[in-house]
Amino acid sequence: MNNPKRLIGLTATVVLAGSMAACSADTSDSAEGDDDVTLTILSSTIVEQPDGEVEQAIADAYMAENPNVTIEFIGVPSNELQTKLVAMASSGTLPDIFFNSPDFAPKSVDLGAPADLNEVLGAEFVSGFADSGIEQATIDEAMVFAPWYSIPTGLIYRADWFEEAGVTPPATWDEFIEVAQDMTTDTDDDGETDRWGVALLGSADLSGAGRFIPILRSFGATELEAAGDGWETAYDSPEAEAAFQFYGDLVNKYEVTPVGTLSTSYPEAVNLMSSDTTAMMVSGSNAIGAIMAQNPELEGKLAAVPLPHALGQEPAANLGLGGYSISETSENKEAAADYLRFLLNDENQVQWSDATGRLPMRTSALEQITAAGGDLAGFVDAIPYGYAPPQATFYPAVLLAGTEAYQSVILEQAKAEEAGSEAARVTREEIDNAR
Protein backbone atom coordinates (compact mmCIF):
# COMPACT_ATOMS: atom_id res chain seq x y z
CA MET A 1 0.00 0.00 0.00
CA ASN A 2 1.29 3.47 -0.81
CA ASN A 3 2.56 5.71 1.95
CA PRO A 4 -0.08 8.47 2.32
CA LYS A 5 2.69 11.07 1.94
CA ARG A 6 2.79 10.07 -1.71
CA LEU A 7 -0.81 11.00 -2.43
CA ILE A 8 0.23 14.03 -4.48
CA GLY A 9 2.11 11.71 -6.77
CA LEU A 10 -0.84 9.35 -6.71
CA THR A 11 -3.12 12.14 -7.90
CA ALA A 12 -0.90 12.69 -10.90
CA THR A 13 -0.88 8.96 -11.57
CA VAL A 14 -4.68 8.83 -11.47
CA VAL A 15 -4.85 11.65 -14.01
CA LEU A 16 -2.40 9.84 -16.27
CA ALA A 17 -4.21 6.54 -15.83
CA GLY A 18 -7.46 8.24 -16.69
CA SER A 19 -6.01 9.64 -19.88
CA MET A 20 -4.68 6.23 -20.89
CA ALA A 21 -7.92 4.49 -19.98
CA ALA A 22 -9.98 6.98 -21.93
CA CYS A 23 -8.17 5.90 -25.07
CA SER A 24 -9.10 2.25 -24.62
CA ALA A 25 -12.38 2.28 -22.69
CA ASP A 26 -15.79 1.88 -24.25
CA THR A 27 -16.81 5.47 -24.91
CA SER A 28 -20.00 4.85 -26.85
CA ASP A 29 -21.91 6.90 -24.28
CA SER A 30 -19.07 9.36 -23.60
CA ALA A 31 -20.06 12.79 -22.40
CA GLU A 32 -17.40 14.38 -24.59
CA GLY A 33 -18.85 16.74 -27.19
CA ASP A 34 -22.28 16.90 -25.56
CA ASP A 35 -23.89 19.96 -24.02
CA ASP A 36 -22.61 21.13 -20.65
CA VAL A 37 -23.55 18.69 -17.89
CA THR A 38 -23.33 18.99 -14.12
CA LEU A 39 -23.26 15.65 -12.31
CA THR A 40 -24.14 15.72 -8.62
CA ILE A 41 -22.81 12.84 -6.50
CA LEU A 42 -23.86 12.03 -2.93
CA SER A 43 -20.79 10.46 -1.36
CA SER A 44 -19.56 9.48 2.09
CA THR A 45 -16.05 8.55 0.98
CA ILE A 46 -15.38 12.07 -0.29
CA VAL A 47 -15.29 13.35 3.32
CA GLU A 48 -12.88 10.62 4.50
CA GLN A 49 -9.11 10.59 4.21
CA PRO A 50 -7.24 9.41 2.26
CA ASP A 51 -10.31 8.22 0.36
CA GLY A 52 -11.71 11.63 -0.48
CA GLU A 53 -8.46 12.91 -1.96
CA VAL A 54 -8.24 9.94 -4.32
CA GLU A 55 -11.92 10.09 -5.28
CA GLN A 56 -11.57 13.80 -6.07
CA ALA A 57 -8.47 13.08 -8.16
CA ILE A 58 -10.41 10.53 -10.21
CA ALA A 59 -13.24 13.01 -10.74
CA ASP A 60 -10.73 15.71 -11.73
CA ALA A 61 -9.17 13.35 -14.26
CA TYR A 62 -12.57 12.62 -15.76
CA MET A 63 -13.42 16.32 -16.02
CA ALA A 64 -10.08 16.93 -17.74
CA GLU A 65 -11.04 14.33 -20.34
CA ASN A 66 -14.60 15.66 -20.57
CA PRO A 67 -14.43 19.46 -20.16
CA ASN A 68 -18.16 19.81 -20.73
CA VAL A 69 -18.85 17.85 -17.52
CA THR A 70 -18.71 19.36 -14.04
CA ILE A 71 -18.79 16.97 -11.08
CA GLU A 72 -20.09 18.32 -7.79
CA PHE A 73 -19.84 16.15 -4.67
CA ILE A 74 -22.32 16.31 -1.80
CA GLY A 75 -20.26 15.02 1.11
CA VAL A 76 -22.07 13.32 3.98
CA PRO A 77 -20.53 11.21 6.80
CA SER A 78 -21.37 7.52 6.40
CA ASN A 79 -23.49 7.36 9.56
CA GLU A 80 -25.71 10.17 8.23
CA LEU A 81 -25.88 9.14 4.58
CA GLN A 82 -28.99 6.97 4.68
CA THR A 83 -31.01 9.61 6.52
CA LYS A 84 -29.86 12.23 4.00
CA LEU A 85 -30.81 10.04 1.05
CA VAL A 86 -34.29 9.33 2.41
CA ALA A 87 -34.84 13.05 2.88
CA MET A 88 -33.65 13.83 -0.65
CA ALA A 89 -35.82 11.12 -2.17
CA SER A 90 -38.86 12.33 -0.24
CA SER A 91 -38.30 15.92 -1.38
CA GLY A 92 -37.59 15.02 -5.01
CA THR A 93 -34.02 16.34 -4.87
CA LEU A 94 -32.02 13.18 -5.54
CA PRO A 95 -28.55 13.71 -7.02
CA ASP A 96 -27.58 12.10 -10.32
CA ILE A 97 -25.43 9.52 -8.52
CA PHE A 98 -25.63 8.38 -4.90
CA PHE A 99 -23.75 5.98 -2.67
CA ASN A 100 -25.55 2.72 -1.97
CA SER A 101 -24.88 -0.56 -0.18
CA PRO A 102 -26.55 -3.96 0.34
CA ASP A 103 -28.10 -3.02 3.68
CA PHE A 104 -29.75 0.12 2.29
CA ALA A 105 -30.48 -1.09 -1.26
CA PRO A 106 -33.97 -2.51 -0.45
CA LYS A 107 -35.02 0.77 1.14
CA SER A 108 -33.67 2.72 -1.84
CA VAL A 109 -35.75 0.54 -4.15
CA ASP A 110 -38.85 1.18 -2.04
CA LEU A 111 -38.15 4.88 -2.49
CA GLY A 112 -37.96 4.41 -6.26
CA ALA A 113 -34.48 5.91 -6.20
CA PRO A 114 -32.12 3.72 -8.30
CA ALA A 115 -32.20 3.02 -12.02
CA ASP A 116 -31.51 -0.53 -13.27
CA LEU A 117 -27.81 -0.50 -14.16
CA ASN A 118 -28.19 -3.62 -16.31
CA GLU A 119 -29.83 -1.24 -18.76
CA VAL A 120 -27.84 1.92 -18.05
CA LEU A 121 -24.34 0.40 -17.93
CA GLY A 122 -25.01 -2.52 -20.28
CA ALA A 123 -24.78 -6.27 -19.78
CA GLU A 124 -21.19 -6.57 -21.03
CA PHE A 125 -19.86 -4.07 -18.49
CA VAL A 126 -21.93 -5.55 -15.65
CA SER A 127 -20.48 -9.02 -16.33
CA GLY A 128 -17.05 -7.69 -15.32
CA PHE A 129 -18.01 -7.42 -11.64
CA ALA A 130 -17.18 -10.19 -9.17
CA ASP A 131 -20.10 -12.58 -8.73
CA SER A 132 -20.50 -11.67 -5.05
CA GLY A 133 -20.81 -8.03 -6.04
CA ILE A 134 -23.44 -8.72 -8.64
CA GLU A 135 -25.42 -10.85 -6.17
CA GLN A 136 -25.48 -8.23 -3.42
CA ALA A 137 -26.21 -5.33 -5.78
CA THR A 138 -29.16 -7.04 -7.47
CA ILE A 139 -32.78 -6.94 -6.31
CA ASP A 140 -35.53 -8.63 -8.35
CA GLU A 141 -33.12 -9.01 -11.29
CA ALA A 142 -32.32 -5.28 -11.34
CA MET A 143 -28.79 -4.13 -10.52
CA VAL A 144 -29.47 -1.18 -8.25
CA PHE A 145 -25.89 -0.06 -7.68
CA ALA A 146 -22.50 -0.57 -9.27
CA PRO A 147 -20.15 -2.29 -6.79
CA TRP A 148 -17.15 -0.02 -6.37
CA TYR A 149 -15.28 -1.62 -3.52
CA SER A 150 -15.32 -4.28 -0.85
CA ILE A 151 -13.97 -3.88 2.67
CA PRO A 152 -14.24 -7.44 4.03
CA THR A 153 -14.12 -7.74 7.80
CA GLY A 154 -10.90 -9.02 9.27
CA LEU A 155 -8.65 -8.65 12.29
CA ILE A 156 -6.03 -5.92 11.92
CA TYR A 157 -3.04 -6.30 14.20
CA ARG A 158 0.38 -4.80 14.88
CA ALA A 159 2.65 -7.34 13.25
CA ASP A 160 5.77 -5.76 14.77
CA TRP A 161 4.42 -6.04 18.33
CA PHE A 162 3.28 -9.61 17.73
CA GLU A 163 6.75 -10.53 16.47
CA GLU A 164 8.42 -8.87 19.46
CA ALA A 165 6.12 -10.75 21.88
CA GLY A 166 6.47 -14.03 20.02
CA VAL A 167 2.71 -14.46 19.52
CA THR A 168 0.79 -15.47 16.42
CA PRO A 169 -2.50 -14.04 15.14
CA PRO A 170 -5.43 -15.69 16.94
CA ALA A 171 -7.65 -18.13 15.10
CA THR A 172 -10.32 -18.45 17.82
CA TRP A 173 -11.86 -15.95 20.23
CA ASP A 174 -10.31 -17.79 23.17
CA GLU A 175 -6.91 -17.24 21.60
CA PHE A 176 -7.88 -13.63 20.90
CA ILE A 177 -8.49 -13.01 24.59
CA GLU A 178 -5.10 -14.48 25.48
CA VAL A 179 -3.32 -12.33 22.91
CA ALA A 180 -5.26 -9.22 23.99
CA GLN A 181 -4.14 -9.82 27.57
CA ASP A 182 -0.54 -10.24 26.42
CA MET A 183 -0.71 -6.96 24.48
CA THR A 184 -2.26 -5.00 27.37
CA THR A 185 0.68 -3.62 29.27
CA ASP A 186 2.47 -0.75 30.94
CA THR A 187 5.17 0.05 28.39
CA ASP A 188 6.93 2.80 30.35
CA ASP A 189 6.82 1.14 33.78
CA ASP A 190 5.02 4.04 35.48
CA GLY A 191 2.41 1.80 37.05
CA GLU A 192 -0.33 2.71 34.56
CA THR A 193 -1.50 0.69 31.55
CA ASP A 194 -0.74 2.66 28.39
CA ARG A 195 -1.25 0.00 25.71
CA TRP A 196 -4.30 -2.19 25.32
CA GLY A 197 -5.09 -5.33 23.40
CA VAL A 198 -7.99 -4.13 21.29
CA ALA A 199 -9.73 -1.02 20.03
CA LEU A 200 -13.30 -2.28 20.49
CA LEU A 201 -15.98 -0.41 18.56
CA GLY A 202 -18.66 -0.25 21.23
CA SER A 203 -20.65 2.68 19.88
CA ALA A 204 -24.39 2.26 19.33
CA ASP A 205 -24.31 3.19 15.66
CA LEU A 206 -23.90 1.52 12.29
CA SER A 207 -20.10 1.60 12.63
CA GLY A 208 -20.34 -0.43 15.82
CA ALA A 209 -22.93 -2.74 14.28
CA GLY A 210 -20.77 -3.29 11.23
CA ARG A 211 -18.07 -4.84 13.42
CA PHE A 212 -20.32 -6.67 15.88
CA ILE A 213 -22.46 -8.58 13.38
CA PRO A 214 -19.56 -10.52 11.80
CA ILE A 215 -18.41 -11.35 15.34
CA LEU A 216 -21.94 -12.49 16.19
CA ARG A 217 -21.97 -14.72 13.11
CA SER A 218 -18.54 -16.12 13.98
CA PHE A 219 -20.16 -17.32 17.22
CA GLY A 220 -22.77 -19.15 15.13
CA ALA A 221 -25.76 -16.78 15.46
CA THR A 222 -27.50 -14.58 12.89
CA GLU A 223 -29.12 -11.24 13.50
CA LEU A 224 -31.68 -11.76 10.71
CA GLU A 225 -32.27 -14.49 8.17
CA ALA A 226 -34.98 -15.55 5.77
CA ALA A 227 -37.48 -18.07 7.13
CA GLY A 228 -40.04 -19.19 4.60
CA ASP A 229 -41.84 -16.11 3.38
CA GLY A 230 -40.64 -14.02 6.32
CA TRP A 231 -37.73 -13.39 8.63
CA GLU A 232 -36.36 -14.69 11.92
CA THR A 233 -33.64 -13.68 14.33
CA ALA A 234 -31.27 -15.61 16.56
CA TYR A 235 -30.41 -12.70 18.85
CA ASP A 236 -31.85 -14.75 21.74
CA SER A 237 -29.89 -17.92 20.99
CA PRO A 238 -27.14 -19.32 23.24
CA GLU A 239 -24.61 -18.46 20.54
CA ALA A 240 -25.70 -14.81 20.51
CA GLU A 241 -25.62 -14.75 24.31
CA ALA A 242 -21.97 -15.83 24.11
CA ALA A 243 -21.22 -13.02 21.65
CA PHE A 244 -22.83 -10.36 23.85
CA GLN A 245 -21.00 -11.74 26.89
CA PHE A 246 -17.75 -11.63 24.93
CA TYR A 247 -18.13 -7.86 24.49
CA GLY A 248 -18.86 -7.36 28.15
CA ASP A 249 -15.94 -9.51 29.23
CA LEU A 250 -13.42 -7.71 27.04
CA VAL A 251 -14.24 -4.48 28.88
CA ASN A 252 -15.15 -5.57 32.41
CA LYS A 253 -13.46 -8.92 33.05
CA TYR A 254 -10.28 -8.88 31.02
CA GLU A 255 -9.88 -5.06 30.84
CA VAL A 256 -8.15 -5.19 27.45
CA THR A 257 -9.84 -2.09 25.99
CA PRO A 258 -9.03 1.57 26.74
CA VAL A 259 -11.50 3.78 28.58
CA GLY A 260 -14.35 5.07 26.42
CA THR A 261 -15.48 1.90 24.65
CA LEU A 262 -19.12 3.03 24.45
CA SER A 263 -18.11 6.12 22.47
CA THR A 264 -15.52 4.35 20.32
CA SER A 265 -16.74 4.39 16.73
CA TYR A 266 -14.64 3.94 13.60
CA PRO A 267 -12.71 7.26 13.74
CA GLU A 268 -11.84 6.77 17.40
CA ALA A 269 -10.68 3.19 16.82
CA VAL A 270 -8.47 4.33 13.95
CA ASN A 271 -6.97 6.97 16.24
CA LEU A 272 -6.24 4.34 18.89
CA MET A 273 -4.41 2.17 16.36
CA SER A 274 -2.48 5.01 14.73
CA SER A 275 -1.35 6.43 18.08
CA ASP A 276 0.26 3.14 19.22
CA THR A 277 -2.44 2.74 21.89
CA THR A 278 -4.00 -0.58 20.81
CA ALA A 279 -2.71 -3.75 19.18
CA MET A 280 -5.80 -5.08 17.39
CA MET A 281 -8.96 -3.85 15.73
CA VAL A 282 -11.84 -5.61 14.01
CA SER A 283 -12.61 -3.70 10.84
CA GLY A 284 -12.58 -3.69 7.08
CA SER A 285 -9.54 -3.38 4.86
CA ASN A 286 -9.97 0.38 4.47
CA ALA A 287 -8.94 0.87 8.09
CA ILE A 288 -5.34 0.09 7.18
CA GLY A 289 -5.30 3.04 4.78
CA ALA A 290 -6.93 5.28 7.38
CA ILE A 291 -4.46 4.25 10.10
CA MET A 292 -1.45 4.81 7.87
CA ALA A 293 -2.81 8.16 6.71
CA GLN A 294 -2.56 9.30 10.34
CA ASN A 295 0.76 7.59 11.02
CA PRO A 296 2.82 6.80 7.90
CA GLU A 297 5.54 5.30 10.11
CA LEU A 298 3.31 2.25 10.53
CA GLU A 299 3.87 1.16 6.95
CA GLY A 300 4.93 -2.48 7.00
CA LYS A 301 3.91 -2.85 10.67
CA LEU A 302 0.24 -3.71 10.11
CA ALA A 303 -1.20 -7.01 8.96
CA ALA A 304 -4.57 -8.75 8.87
CA VAL A 305 -6.11 -12.19 9.10
CA PRO A 306 -9.68 -13.47 8.76
CA LEU A 307 -11.82 -12.90 11.83
CA PRO A 308 -11.34 -15.36 14.71
CA HIS A 309 -14.26 -17.65 15.52
CA ALA A 310 -15.82 -19.60 18.35
CA LEU A 311 -14.91 -23.26 18.70
CA GLY A 312 -16.77 -25.34 16.13
CA GLN A 313 -17.65 -22.29 14.03
CA GLU A 314 -16.04 -20.53 11.06
CA PRO A 315 -14.87 -16.96 10.50
CA ALA A 316 -17.40 -14.53 9.08
CA ALA A 317 -16.93 -11.43 6.99
CA ASN A 318 -19.28 -8.71 6.00
CA LEU A 319 -17.92 -7.96 2.56
CA GLY A 320 -18.57 -4.29 3.25
CA LEU A 321 -19.72 -3.72 -0.29
CA GLY A 322 -20.23 -0.16 -1.38
CA GLY A 323 -21.00 1.42 -4.71
CA TYR A 324 -22.92 3.98 -6.65
CA SER A 325 -26.47 4.08 -7.94
CA ILE A 326 -27.73 6.28 -10.75
CA SER A 327 -30.96 7.99 -9.83
CA GLU A 328 -34.01 6.91 -11.76
CA THR A 329 -35.02 10.57 -11.96
CA SER A 330 -31.64 11.78 -13.25
CA GLU A 331 -31.72 13.68 -16.53
CA ASN A 332 -28.05 12.85 -17.06
CA LYS A 333 -28.07 9.05 -17.05
CA GLU A 334 -25.69 8.66 -20.00
CA ALA A 335 -23.11 11.03 -18.54
CA ALA A 336 -23.50 9.39 -15.13
CA ALA A 337 -22.97 5.94 -16.63
CA ASP A 338 -19.91 7.13 -18.52
CA TYR A 339 -18.40 8.52 -15.33
CA LEU A 340 -19.03 5.25 -13.45
CA ARG A 341 -17.29 3.29 -16.21
CA PHE A 342 -14.33 5.62 -15.82
CA LEU A 343 -14.34 5.37 -12.02
CA LEU A 344 -14.37 1.58 -12.32
CA ASN A 345 -11.66 1.07 -14.90
CA ASP A 346 -8.76 -1.13 -13.78
CA GLU A 347 -6.23 1.68 -13.42
CA ASN A 348 -8.46 3.72 -11.13
CA GLN A 349 -9.60 0.69 -9.16
CA VAL A 350 -6.03 -0.40 -8.42
CA GLN A 351 -4.88 3.12 -7.50
CA TRP A 352 -7.93 3.56 -5.25
CA SER A 353 -7.28 0.24 -3.51
CA ASP A 354 -3.58 0.94 -3.10
CA ALA A 355 -4.27 4.25 -1.36
CA THR A 356 -7.33 3.34 0.72
CA GLY A 357 -7.21 -0.40 1.40
CA ARG A 358 -10.66 -0.89 -0.14
CA LEU A 359 -10.58 -3.93 -2.43
CA PRO A 360 -11.88 -3.58 -6.00
CA MET A 361 -14.96 -5.38 -7.23
CA ARG A 362 -14.01 -5.59 -10.91
CA THR A 363 -12.58 -9.08 -11.31
CA SER A 364 -9.66 -7.97 -13.47
CA ALA A 365 -8.59 -5.32 -10.93
CA LEU A 366 -9.01 -7.71 -7.98
CA GLU A 367 -6.70 -10.19 -9.72
CA GLN A 368 -4.01 -7.50 -9.89
CA ILE A 369 -4.38 -6.70 -6.16
CA THR A 370 -4.25 -10.38 -5.22
CA ALA A 371 -1.09 -10.93 -7.26
CA ALA A 372 0.62 -7.98 -5.56
CA GLY A 373 0.12 -9.42 -2.03
CA GLY A 374 1.07 -7.00 0.78
CA ASP A 375 -0.89 -5.93 3.85
CA LEU A 376 -4.25 -6.57 2.19
CA ALA A 377 -3.61 -10.29 1.70
CA GLY A 378 -5.39 -11.24 4.93
CA PHE A 379 -8.53 -9.48 3.78
CA VAL A 380 -8.45 -11.31 0.47
CA ASP A 381 -8.29 -14.53 2.53
CA ALA A 382 -11.45 -13.38 4.37
CA ILE A 383 -13.54 -13.01 1.20
CA PRO A 384 -14.56 -16.72 1.05
CA TYR A 385 -16.20 -16.26 4.47
CA GLY A 386 -18.27 -13.34 3.23
CA TYR A 387 -22.03 -13.20 3.65
CA ALA A 388 -24.72 -11.12 2.02
CA PRO A 389 -26.63 -8.83 4.41
CA PRO A 390 -30.39 -9.57 4.51
CA GLN A 391 -32.30 -7.50 1.97
CA ALA A 392 -34.93 -6.23 4.38
CA THR A 393 -36.01 -2.60 4.47
CA PHE A 394 -35.93 -2.62 8.29
CA TYR A 395 -32.43 -4.13 8.50
CA PRO A 396 -30.78 -0.95 9.88
CA ALA A 397 -33.12 -1.14 12.87
CA VAL A 398 -32.07 -4.77 13.43
CA LEU A 399 -28.43 -3.73 13.44
CA LEU A 400 -29.04 -0.99 15.98
CA ALA A 401 -30.93 -3.42 18.23
CA GLY A 402 -27.72 -5.43 18.47
CA THR A 403 -25.69 -2.36 19.41
CA GLU A 404 -28.11 -1.48 22.20
CA ALA A 405 -27.77 -5.04 23.48
CA TYR A 406 -23.99 -5.12 23.67
CA GLN A 407 -23.90 -1.67 25.27
CA SER A 408 -26.28 -2.81 28.01
CA VAL A 409 -23.98 -5.74 28.74
CA ILE A 410 -20.86 -3.56 28.78
CA LEU A 411 -22.62 -1.17 31.18
CA GLU A 412 -23.71 -4.17 33.26
CA GLN A 413 -27.30 -2.97 33.00
CA ALA A 414 -28.41 -6.37 31.71
CA LYS A 415 -27.08 -9.89 31.56
CA ALA A 416 -26.17 -11.18 28.12
CA GLU A 417 -29.24 -13.41 27.96
CA GLU A 418 -31.53 -10.51 28.85
CA ALA A 419 -29.87 -8.20 26.35
CA GLY A 420 -30.22 -10.77 23.60
CA SER A 421 -33.88 -11.33 24.40
CA GLU A 422 -34.57 -7.60 24.17
CA ALA A 423 -32.76 -7.34 20.83
CA ALA A 424 -34.81 -10.29 19.56
CA ARG A 425 -38.04 -8.66 20.75
CA VAL A 426 -37.24 -5.43 18.92
CA THR A 427 -36.28 -7.32 15.79
CA ARG A 428 -39.45 -9.43 15.77
CA GLU A 429 -41.49 -6.28 16.23
CA GLU A 430 -39.79 -4.87 13.13
CA ILE A 431 -40.55 -8.10 11.28
CA ASP A 432 -44.23 -7.91 12.25
CA ASN A 433 -44.47 -4.25 11.24
CA ALA A 434 -43.04 -5.05 7.82
CA ARG A 435 -45.68 -7.67 7.00
Side-chain angles (χ1 to χ4, degrees), residues 86-101:
V86 170
M88 296 177 83
S90 301
S91 62
T93 58
L94 281 171
D96 296 293
I97 299 172
F98 61 88
F99 181 85
N100 210 339
S101 58

Side-chain angles (χ1 to χ4, degrees), residues 284-358:
S285 54
N286 64 311
I288 287 186
I291 294 166
M292 286 175 48
Q294 294 186 9
N295 187 355
E297 294 182 1
L298 291 180
E299 184 167 11
K301 298 179 180 179
L302 298 172
V305 290
L307 212 60
H309 56 86
L311 291 175
Q313 303 295 333
E314 288 189 343
N318 182 346
L319 292 183
L321 200 64
Y324 278 123
S325 296
I326 295 176
S327 298
E328 180 62 44
T329 56
S330 172
E331 297 180 356
N332 303 307
K333 285 190 177 72
E334 287 190 4
D338 191 63
Y339 174 68
L340 290 188
R341 294 190 193 96
F342 181 85
L343 176 72
L344 295 165
N345 70 44
D346 282 0
E347 291 87 349
N348 286 334
Q349 282 257 279
V350 171
Q351 294 290 352
W352 163 259
S353 180
D354 189 38
T356 69
R358 299 175 189 254

Side-chain angles (χ1 to χ4, degrees), residues 123-130 134 361-364:
E124 182 177 356
F125 186 83
V126 167
S127 68
F129 290 109
I134 295 174
M361 289 306 293
R362 301 291 292 174
T363 53
S364 52

Side-chain angles (χ1 to χ4, degrees), residues 44 61 101 103 289 295 314 386 394 397 399 421:
S44 59
S101 58
D103 61 323
N295 187 355
E314 288 189 343
F394 55 89
L399 296 178
S421 295

Side-chain angles (χ1 to χ4, degrees), residues 124-299:
E124 182 177 356
F125 186 83
V126 167
S127 68
F129 290 109
D131 289 344
S132 58
I134 295 174
E135 177 187 356
Q136 294 194 30
T138 299
I139 297 178
D140 295 333
E141 300 185 356
M143 174 171 270
V144 299
F145 66 89
W148 181 20
Y149 63 76
S150 172
I151 44 176
T153 314
L155 178 67
I156 300 170
Y157 66 96
R158 284 291 298 267
D160 55 336
W161 292 354
F162 275 46
E163 184 176 358
E164 290 172 4
V167 299
T168 57
T172 68
W173 290 120
D174 287 341
E175 294 174 1
F176 175 88
I177 291 170
E178 292 178 3
V179 171
Q181 290 176 304
D182 289 340
M183 291 290 112
T184 301
T185 186
D186 172 15
T187 62
D188 57 9
D189 296 322
D190 67 351
E192 298 290 336
T193 299
D194 52 24
R195 190 175 79 186
W196 286 265
V198 58
L200 182 67
L201 278 77
S203 53
D205 56 21
L206 293 178
S207 288
R211 280 73 185 175
F212 174 71
I213 295 302
I215 293 174
L216 176 77
R217 289 182 175 235
S218 73
F219 272 86
T222 52
E223 73 288 3
L224 189 70
E225 61 182 347
D229 294 331
W231 300 94
E232 186 51 274
T233 182
Y235 268 147
D236 52 356
S237 66
E239 292 80 7
E241 179 184 344
F244 290 126
Q245 188 63 54
F246 174 69
Y247 262 47
D249 286 347
L250 289 177
V251 177
N252 301 315
K253 181 178 180 179
Y254 300 113
E255 299 181 340
V256 293
T257 65
V259 174
T261 296
L262 297 181
S263 58
T264 300
S265 191
Y266 176 70
E268 292 78 20
V270 167
N271 291 341
L272 290 169
M273 291 293 293
S274 67
S275 62
D276 294 335
T277 304
T278 53
M280 296 182 286
M281 171 187 179
V282 172
S283 196
S285 54
N286 64 311
I288 287 186
I291 294 166
M292 286 175 48
Q294 294 186 9
N295 187 355
E297 294 182 1
L298 291 180
E299 184 167 11

Side-chain angles (χ1 to χ4, degrees), residues 62-85:
Y62 181 81
M63 288 187 282
E65 293 292 330
N66 299 273
N68 62 303
V69 177
T70 299
I71 295 174
E72 296 180 353
F73 285 101
I74 304 169
V76 179
S78 58
N79 282 331
E80 301 172 14
L81 190 139
Q82 294 183 7
T83 301
K84 177 71 171 178
L85 187 57

